[in-house]
Each structure stands twice: as structure tokens, then as C-alpha cells.
Coordinates of all heavy atoms in Angstrom, one line a residue:
V114 N 1.0 -1.3 -0.1 CA 0.0 0.0 0.0 C 1.0 1.3 0.1 O 1.6 1.6 1.0 CB -1.0 0.0 1.2 CG1 -1.9 1.2 1.1 CG2 -1.7 -1.2 1.3
R115 N 1.0 2.0 -1.1 CA 2.0 3.1 -1.2 C 1.5 4.2 -0.5 O 0.3 4.5 -0.4 CB 2.1 3.4 -2.7 CG 2.7 2.2 -3.5 CD 3.2 2.7 -4.8 NE 3.9 1.5 -5.7 CZ 5.1 1.2 -5.5 NH1 5.9 1.8 -4.7 NH2 5.6 0.2 -6.3
G116 N 2.5 4.9 0.2 CA 2.3 6.2 0.7 C 1.6 6.0 2.2 O 1.2 7.0 2.8
R117 N 1.6 4.7 2.8 CA 1.0 4.6 4.1 C 2.1 4.2 5.2 O 1.8 3.8 6.2 CB -0.2 3.7 4.2 CG -1.4 4.1 3.3 CD -1.9 5.5 3.6 NE -2.5 5.5 4.9 CZ -3.9 5.4 4.9 NH1 -4.7 5.3 3.8 NH2 -4.5 5.4 6.1
G118 N 3.3 4.5 4.8 CA 4.3 4.2 5.8 C 4.7 5.3 6.6 O 3.8 6.2 6.9
L119 N 6.0 5.6 6.9 CA 6.5 6.7 7.7 C 7.0 7.8 6.7 O 7.5 7.6 5.6 CB 7.6 6.4 8.6 CG 7.1 5.3 9.7 CD1 8.4 4.8 10.5 CD2 6.2 6.1 10.7
P120 N 7.0 9.1 7.2 CA 7.5 10.3 6.5 C 8.9 10.0 6.1 O 9.7 9.5 7.1 CB 7.2 11.5 7.3 CG 6.2 11.0 8.2 CD 6.4 9.6 8.5
R121 N 9.4 10.5 5.1 CA 10.8 10.5 4.7 C 11.4 11.7 5.3 O 11.1 12.8 5.0 CB 11.1 10.5 3.1 CG 10.5 9.2 2.6 CD 10.9 9.2 1.0 NE 10.4 7.9 0.4 CZ 9.2 7.7 -0.1 NH1 8.4 8.7 -0.4 NH2 8.9 6.4 -0.7
L122 N 12.4 11.5 6.2 CA 13.1 12.6 6.9 C 13.7 13.5 5.9 O 14.5 13.2 5.1 CB 14.1 12.0 7.9 CG 14.8 13.0 8.8 CD1 13.8 13.7 9.7 CD2 15.9 12.3 9.6
Q123 N 13.3 14.9 6.1 CA 13.9 16.0 5.3 C 13.6 15.8 3.7 O 14.3 16.4 3.0 CB 15.3 16.2 5.6 CG 15.6 16.6 7.2 CD 17.1 16.7 7.4 OE1 18.0 16.3 6.7 NE2 17.3 17.5 8.5
R124 N 12.6 14.9 3.4 CA 12.3 14.8 2.1 C 10.8 14.8 2.1 O 10.1 14.5 3.0 CB 12.9 13.5 1.4 CG 14.4 13.5 1.4 CD 14.8 12.2 0.7 NE 14.5 11.1 1.5 CZ 14.4 9.9 1.0 NH1 14.5 9.6 -0.3 NH2 14.2 8.9 2.0
S125 N 10.1 15.0 0.9 CA 8.7 14.8 0.7 C 8.4 13.4 0.5 O 9.1 12.5 0.2 CB 8.4 15.5 -0.6 OG 9.0 15.1 -1.7
G126 N 7.1 13.1 0.8 CA 6.4 11.8 0.6 C 6.7 10.9 1.8 O 7.3 11.3 2.8
R127 N 6.1 9.8 1.8 CA 6.1 8.7 2.8 C 6.5 7.4 2.2 O 6.4 7.2 1.0 CB 4.8 8.6 3.5 CG 4.4 9.7 4.3 CD 3.0 9.8 4.8 NE 2.6 8.5 5.6 CZ 1.5 8.3 6.2 NH1 0.5 9.2 6.2 NH2 1.3 7.2 6.8
G128 N 7.0 6.6 3.1 CA 7.2 5.1 2.8 C 5.9 4.3 2.6 O 4.8 5.0 2.5
D129 N 6.0 3.0 2.4 CA 4.9 2.2 2.1 C 4.5 1.3 3.3 O 5.3 1.1 4.2 CB 5.1 1.3 0.8 CG 5.4 2.1 -0.4 OD1 5.0 3.2 -0.4 OD2 6.3 1.7 -1.3
L130 N 3.3 0.8 3.3 CA 2.8 -0.2 4.1 C 2.8 -1.4 3.5 O 2.1 -1.6 2.3 CB 1.3 0.2 4.6 CG 0.7 -0.8 5.6 CD1 1.5 -0.9 6.9 CD2 -0.8 -0.5 5.8
L131 N 3.5 -2.6 4.0 CA 3.5 -3.8 3.4 C 2.7 -4.8 4.2 O 3.1 -5.0 5.4 CB 5.0 -4.3 3.2 CG 6.0 -3.3 2.5 CD1 7.4 -3.9 2.6 CD2 5.5 -3.1 1.2
V132 N 1.7 -5.3 3.6 CA 0.8 -6.2 4.4 C 1.1 -7.6 4.1 O 0.9 -8.0 2.8 CB -0.8 -5.9 4.0 CG1 -1.6 -6.7 4.8 CG2 -1.0 -4.4 4.4
R133 N 1.5 -8.4 5.0 CA 1.9 -9.8 4.7 C 0.6 -10.7 5.1 O 0.1 -10.7 6.2 CB 3.0 -10.3 5.6 CG 3.5 -11.7 5.2 CD 4.3 -12.2 6.3 NE 4.6 -13.6 6.0 CZ 5.0 -14.5 6.9 NH1 5.0 -14.3 8.2 NH2 5.3 -15.8 6.7
V134 N 0.0 -11.3 4.1 CA -1.3 -12.1 4.2 C -0.8 -13.5 4.7 O 0.0 -14.2 4.1 CB -1.9 -12.2 2.8 CG1 -3.2 -13.1 3.0 CG2 -2.3 -10.8 2.3
L135 N -1.4 -13.9 6.0 CA -1.2 -15.2 6.5 C -2.5 -16.0 6.5 O -3.4 -15.5 7.1 CB -0.6 -15.0 7.9 CG 0.7 -14.3 8.1 CD1 1.1 -14.1 9.5 CD2 1.8 -15.1 7.3
V136 N -2.6 -17.0 5.8 CA -3.7 -17.8 5.7 C -3.8 -18.7 7.0 O -3.0 -19.4 7.4 CB -3.9 -18.8 4.6 CG1 -5.1 -19.7 4.5 CG2 -3.6 -18.1 3.2
W137 N -4.9 -18.4 7.7 CA -5.2 -19.0 9.0 C -5.8 -20.3 8.8 O -6.9 -20.5 8.1 CB -6.0 -18.1 9.9 CG -6.6 -18.8 11.2 CD1 -5.9 -19.0 12.2 CD2 -7.9 -19.1 11.4 NE1 -6.5 -19.6 13.2 CE2 -7.9 -19.7 12.8 CE3 -9.1 -19.1 10.8 CZ2 -9.0 -20.1 13.4 CZ3 -10.2 -19.6 11.4 CH2 -10.3 -20.2 12.6
T138 N -5.3 -21.5 9.5 CA -5.9 -22.7 9.3 C -6.5 -23.0 10.7 O -5.9 -23.1 11.8 CB -4.8 -23.8 9.2 OG1 -4.2 -23.5 7.9 CG2 -5.4 -25.2 9.1
P139 N -7.8 -23.3 10.7 CA -8.6 -23.6 12.0 C -8.1 -24.9 12.6 O -7.9 -25.9 11.8 CB -10.1 -23.7 11.7 CG -10.1 -23.9 10.2 CD -8.9 -23.4 9.6
Q140 N -7.9 -25.0 13.9 CA -7.5 -26.2 14.6 C -8.7 -27.0 15.0 O -8.6 -28.3 15.2 CB -6.6 -25.8 15.8 CG -5.3 -25.1 15.3 CD -4.4 -24.8 16.6 OE1 -5.0 -24.3 17.5 NE2 -3.2 -25.0 16.4
R141 N -9.8 -26.4 15.2 CA -11.0 -27.2 15.6 C -12.1 -26.9 14.7 O -12.4 -25.7 14.5 CB -11.3 -26.8 17.1 CG -10.3 -27.3 18.1 CD -10.8 -27.0 19.5 NE -9.8 -27.3 20.5 CZ -10.0 -27.2 21.9 NH1 -11.2 -26.6 22.3 NH2 -9.1 -27.6 22.7
L142 N -12.7 -27.9 14.1 CA -13.9 -27.7 13.2 C -15.1 -28.2 13.7 O -15.2 -29.2 14.4 CB -13.5 -28.5 11.8 CG -12.3 -28.1 11.1 CD1 -12.1 -29.0 9.9 CD2 -12.4 -26.6 10.6
S143 N -16.2 -27.4 13.3 CA -17.6 -27.9 13.7 C -17.9 -29.0 12.8 O -17.2 -29.2 11.7 CB -18.5 -26.7 13.6 OG -18.7 -26.2 12.3
K144 N -19.0 -29.6 13.0 CA -19.5 -30.7 12.2 C -19.8 -30.2 10.8 O -19.5 -30.8 9.9 CB -20.8 -31.4 12.9 CG -21.3 -32.6 11.9 CD -22.5 -33.1 12.7 CE -23.1 -34.2 11.8 NZ -24.3 -35.0 12.3
E145 N -20.4 -29.1 10.7 CA -20.8 -28.5 9.5 C -19.5 -28.1 8.7 O -19.5 -28.4 7.5 CB -21.7 -27.2 9.7 CG -22.1 -26.6 8.4 CD -23.0 -25.4 8.6 OE1 -23.3 -25.1 9.9 OE2 -23.5 -24.8 7.7
Q146 N -18.6 -27.5 9.3 CA -17.4 -27.2 8.7 C -16.6 -28.3 8.2 O -16.0 -28.4 7.0 CB -16.4 -26.3 9.7 CG -16.9 -24.9 9.9 CD -16.2 -24.3 11.1 OE1 -15.5 -25.0 11.9 NE2 -16.1 -23.0 10.9
R147 N -16.6 -29.3 9.1 CA -15.9 -30.6 8.5 C -16.5 -31.2 7.2 O -15.8 -31.6 6.3 CB -16.0 -31.7 9.7 CG -15.1 -32.8 9.3 CD -15.0 -33.7 10.5 NE -14.4 -33.2 11.7 CZ -13.0 -33.3 11.7 NH1 -12.3 -33.9 10.8 NH2 -12.3 -32.6 12.7
E148 N -17.9 -31.1 7.2 CA -18.6 -31.6 6.0 C -18.3 -30.7 4.8 O -18.0 -31.3 3.6 CB -20.0 -31.6 6.3 CG -20.5 -32.7 7.3 CD -22.0 -32.5 7.6 OE1 -22.6 -31.6 7.2 OE2 -22.5 -33.4 8.4
V149 N -18.1 -29.4 4.9 CA -17.8 -28.6 3.9 C -16.4 -28.9 3.3 O -16.2 -29.0 2.2 CB -17.9 -27.1 4.3 CG1 -17.3 -26.2 3.2 CG2 -19.5 -26.7 4.6
F150 N -15.4 -29.0 4.3 CA -14.0 -29.3 3.8 C -13.9 -30.7 3.2 O -13.1 -30.9 2.3 CB -13.1 -29.1 5.0 CG -12.7 -27.6 5.3 CD1 -13.3 -27.1 6.5 CD2 -11.9 -27.1 4.5 CE1 -13.0 -25.6 6.6 CE2 -11.5 -25.8 4.7 CZ -12.0 -25.0 5.7
Q151 N -14.7 -31.6 3.7 CA -14.8 -32.9 3.0 C -15.2 -32.9 1.6 O -14.5 -33.5 0.7 CB -15.7 -33.8 3.8 CG -15.1 -34.3 5.1 CD -14.0 -35.4 5.1 OE1 -13.6 -35.8 4.0 NE2 -13.5 -35.8 6.2
R152 N -16.3 -32.1 1.5 CA -16.7 -31.9 -0.1 C -15.7 -31.2 -0.9 O -15.5 -31.5 -2.1 CB -18.0 -31.1 0.0 CG -19.2 -32.1 0.5 CD -20.6 -31.4 0.1 NE -20.7 -30.0 0.7 CZ -21.3 -29.8 1.8 NH1 -21.6 -30.9 2.6 NH2 -21.4 -28.6 2.3
L153 N -15.1 -30.2 -0.2 CA -14.0 -29.4 -1.0 C -12.8 -30.4 -1.3 O -12.4 -30.2 -2.5 CB -13.6 -28.3 0.0 CG -12.4 -27.5 -0.6 CD1 -12.8 -26.7 -1.9 CD2 -11.9 -26.4 0.6
R154 N -12.5 -31.2 -0.3 CA -11.3 -32.0 -0.8 C -11.6 -33.0 -1.9 O -10.7 -33.3 -2.7 CB -10.9 -32.8 0.5 CG -9.8 -33.7 0.3 CD -9.2 -34.2 1.6 NE -10.0 -35.0 2.3 CZ -9.8 -35.7 3.6 NH1 -8.6 -35.5 4.2 NH2 -10.7 -36.5 4.2
E155 N -12.8 -33.4 -2.1 CA -13.3 -34.2 -3.1 C -13.1 -33.5 -4.4 O -13.0 -34.3 -5.5 CB -14.6 -34.8 -2.9 CG -14.7 -35.7 -1.7 CD -16.1 -36.0 -1.2 OE1 -17.0 -35.6 -2.0 OE2 -16.4 -36.8 -0.3
T156 N -13.2 -32.2 -4.5 CA -13.3 -31.5 -5.8 C -12.2 -30.7 -6.0 O -11.8 -30.2 -7.2 CB -14.6 -30.6 -5.7 OG1 -14.5 -29.6 -4.6 CG2 -15.9 -31.4 -5.7
E157 N -11.4 -30.4 -4.9 CA -10.3 -29.4 -5.3 C -9.1 -30.1 -6.0 O -8.9 -31.4 -6.0 CB -9.7 -28.9 -3.9 CG -9.1 -29.9 -3.0 CD -8.6 -29.3 -1.8 OE1 -8.6 -28.1 -1.5 OE2 -8.2 -30.0 -0.8
E158 N -8.3 -29.2 -6.6 CA -7.1 -29.7 -7.3 C -6.0 -30.1 -6.3 O -6.1 -29.5 -5.1 CB -6.4 -28.6 -8.2 CG -7.5 -28.2 -9.4 CD -6.9 -27.2 -10.2 OE1 -5.7 -26.7 -9.9 OE2 -7.6 -26.7 -11.1
S159 N -5.2 -31.0 -6.6 CA -4.0 -31.3 -5.8 C -3.0 -30.2 -5.6 O -2.8 -29.5 -6.6 CB -3.3 -32.6 -6.2 OG -4.1 -33.7 -6.3

């Protein structure tokens, strides 16, 4: 995200904000969620 970091000292403009996306994996699944993921596993690519 450009321009959402810190100001540049004695210069114009700002640095950038770098957002690192981390995919969260649930450790406990409800019965409904488990069924959804079971169906997904049957159809998803390897």
C-alpha cells in the first residue's frame, strides 16, 4: 500500500505499508465445517 508508511526525513513523501497475508488454518472444526471441507477435498485440485 503505497504512501501509508512513515514520512521520509527531510524529504517529501512517505514510505509504504507492506501487508503480509497469512492464511489461518482452524484447529477445531464444527461438524458443518468438517462436512464442507470434506466436499471441498473431493473437488479441489491437488
Side-chain angles (χ1 to χ4, degrees):
V114 183
R115 297 193 178 276
R117 296 305 288 265
L119 293 171
R121 297 186 174 98
L122 184 62
Q123 298 179 341
R124 292 183 295 158
S125 60
R127 290 171 57 174
D129 300 334
L130 176 67
L131 306 177
V132 182
R133 184 195 179 206
V134 178
L135 298 175
V136 177
W137 170 72
T138 302
Q140 294 178 320
R141 295 181 180 179
L142 299 176
S143 65
K144 181 179 179 181
E145 184 179 357
Q146 290 172 332
R147 184 174 293 277
E148 291 174 353
V149 170
F150 277 108
Q151 286 284 1
R152 291 196 299 271
L153 175 62
R154 185 164 62 179
E155 293 171 0
T156 60
E157 68 182 351
E158 297 178 1
S159 300

